[in-house]
Amino acid sequence: MTPPRHPGGPAVALRDLPNGAFGRIAEMPAKDGCAERLEALGLRVGKVVEKVSGMPFHGPVTLQLDGRQIAIGWKISSSVLVVPLAPSGGAAGRHE
C-alpha cells in the first residue's frame, strides 16, 4: 500500500522514519483523547520532529521536539504521518 501524498512528498508513518531523521508532521490521528494528548505534548501538523529511536517489538518511539525528548507508543506513532526532510547540512536547529 502506498502512503498518501502530501505537499512536499509522500508521507510515512512516524514509526517508519529512520532513527536520526527529521520529518514534518503531515497528518495526526482523528480527534479523540489520544490526539488531544499528543497536541498537549506539542505534536501538531507542520511541526518538525527528529526520530531519536524506536524500540524493537513494538516498543515506544522517542522523538526530539522543541528541544525536548518525548516518547510515544508504537501504535500511536503508526497513525502520525510525517514527510521526511532531506538533510540540510547541519541546519537542523533551524527547523520549527
Side-chain angles (χ1 to χ4, degrees):
M1 178 178 207
T2 306
R5 289 192 58 85
H6 292 273
V12 298
L14 180 57
R15 70 162 195 241
D16 296 331
L17 195 64
N19 292 346
F22 289 86
R24 184 176 306 276
I25 298 174
E27 190 174 314
M28 295 290 291
K31 290 289 183 188
D32 61 8
C34 174
E36 291 170 4
R37 176 70 177 133
L38 292 174
E39 191 167 325
L41 289 170
L43 283 136
R44 55 185 61 90
V45 172
K47 292 292 257 185
V48 173
V49 298
E50 177 185 7
K51 181 180 172 190
V52 175
S53 66
M55 295 292 124
F57 306 109
H58 299 189
V61 173
T62 306
L63 312 171
Q64 183 82 18
L65 173 68
D66 296 333
R68 58 195 168 86
Q69 282 192 0
I70 59 171
I72 61 174
W74 184 85
K75 186 173 181 182
I76 298 303
S77 71
S78 302
S79 61
V80 175
L81 299 181
V82 297
V83 175
L85 299 176
S88 53
R94 291 194 307 230
H95 294 297
E96 295 174 16

